[in-house]
Amino acid sequence: MAKIIHTADIHLDAPFSLLDVQKAQMRKNELRDTFTSIVQLAESEKADIMVIAGDLFDSGFVTKETSELLVSLFSSVPSCRFVIVPGNHDYIWGHSPYRKESFPKNVYIFDKEQISCFSFPEIGVDVYGYAFTSDGYTENPLEKKLQLQKSRVNVLVAHGDVGGKSKYCPLSVNDIMKSGFDYIALGHIHLGGRVQLAGNTYYAYSGCPE
C-alpha cells in the first residue's frame, strides 16, 4: 500500500505586514521551517507521495530564498512524488512561480481548472486535481462523474469549500459521496478536522500545519 502525506495552506512568504520588520522575517522563517519539517517527515516515513492541496505560497510572488529552498527540499527526497494544486492565494498565472521555477522531475503541478490526472502505475495510485487560475473558482469540478480505474487507489487533491455556496470552489458532501474517489485531500480551511466518510470516500482538511 502506498504511503501518502497530505498537507495544505503553508502560505510561504506571507508578508506579516502587521508586525515589525524583524518579527515579520522571523515568522517567514518559521513558515519555511514548518514546510522543511513536513518534507523531512516524508523522507523519514518513506512516503511515496506528498499532496499539497493549495496555498503553498501566500501569493503569486515568491522570494528567491523560498524558491531555492523548495527546489532543494524536493530534490532531497527523490523517491517521493510531490503533487501540488495551486489554490486561491497562489493561483497559477503567466508569471506564477509554478510556471517560472524549474522544479525537479519528482514535482507534479496541476495547471488547469478542469480535473486532470497524474498516474503512478508503479505504486498503483492515480492522483487527480485541478488548479485555481484566478483568486476565485465558482464552478463545481465534481459535477461530472469521472471514469476512475478501480484497480488503482484514486485520490483527489482539492482546494475548496465543502458545504454551501462559495467563490472558492463549492463542493458538497453529496458530491464527495458520488465521486468514486478513495480519498479527497482538501485544502483551504485552516482549522482542518478529522477524517470523515461519505459513501465509500474518505475526505479531510489537513488544516494549516502550524
Side-chain angles (χ1 to χ4, degrees):
M1 179 67 71
K3 182 176 285 188
I4 301 172
I5 289 179
H6 164 201
T7 191
D9 298 294
I10 317 293
H11 289 277
L12 292 170
D13 284 344
F16 297 106
S17 55
L18 296 179
L19 302 177
D20 64 44
V21 173
Q22 185 176 3
K23 288 183 179 178
Q25 187 58 53
M26 184 182 300
R27 290 293 293 119
K28 290 178 184 180
N29 290 339
E30 287 172 349
L31 287 181
R32 291 171 182 162
D33 290 344
T34 294
F35 190 67
T36 298
S37 295
I38 298 170
V39 175
Q40 289 172 343
L41 177 67
E43 182 176 28
S44 65
E45 290 290 328
K46 297 181 171 56
D48 297 289
I49 302 174
M50 179 190 290
V51 297
I52 303 171
D55 292 353
L56 172 60
F57 307 120
D58 190 65
S59 73
F61 299 95
V62 179
T63 63
K64 180 181 178 182
E65 291 80 9
T66 293
S67 292
E68 290 177 347
L69 173 65
L70 289 182
V71 170
S72 174
L73 288 173
F74 294 145
S75 299
S76 71
V77 195
S79 59
C80 184
R81 304 144 184 87
F82 295 91
V83 182
I84 303 173
V85 159
N88 62 295
H89 276 264
D90 59 352
Y91 61 86
I92 196 161
W93 61 295
H95 295 285
S96 165
Y98 293 126
R99 295 198 189 279
K100 291 176 64 178
E101 189 56 65
S102 296
F103 289 112
K105 63 181 181 180
N106 61 329
V107 176
Y108 302 82
I109 302 169
F110 289 102
D111 61 0
K112 296 179 178 62
E113 288 188 346
Q114 297 77 22
I115 290 181
S116 58
C117 176
F118 290 117
S119 187
F120 305 107
E122 68 278 10
I123 56 172
V125 178
D126 285 347
V127 180
Y128 292 78
Y130 55 86
F132 274 66
T133 59
S134 69
D135 62 356
Y137 190 124
T138 57
E139 301 299 320
N140 180 349
L142 291 179
E143 279 187 339
K144 184 178 180 181
K145 187 173 176 61
L146 299 170
Q147 297 298 317
L148 307 177
Q149 291 197 48
K150 297 302 182 182
S151 61
R152 303 277 178 84
V153 174
N154 292 287
V155 176
L156 173 65
V157 189
H159 194 81
D161 276 332
V162 175
K165 295 181 179 180
S166 171
K167 65 174 286 189
Y168 303 113
C169 190
L171 302 169
S172 72
V173 173
N174 191 52
D175 292 327
I176 292 171
M177 182 175 65
K178 296 188 299 182
S179 69
F181 287 101
D182 296 295
Y183 180 66
I184 296 181
L186 294 164
H188 185 59
I189 303 300
H190 287 195
L191 291 177
R194 62 184 178 85
V195 176
Q196 300 186 69
L197 182 64
N200 294 316
T201 300
Y202 291 93
Y203 67 100
Y205 283 100
S206 67
C208 180
E210 286 203 317

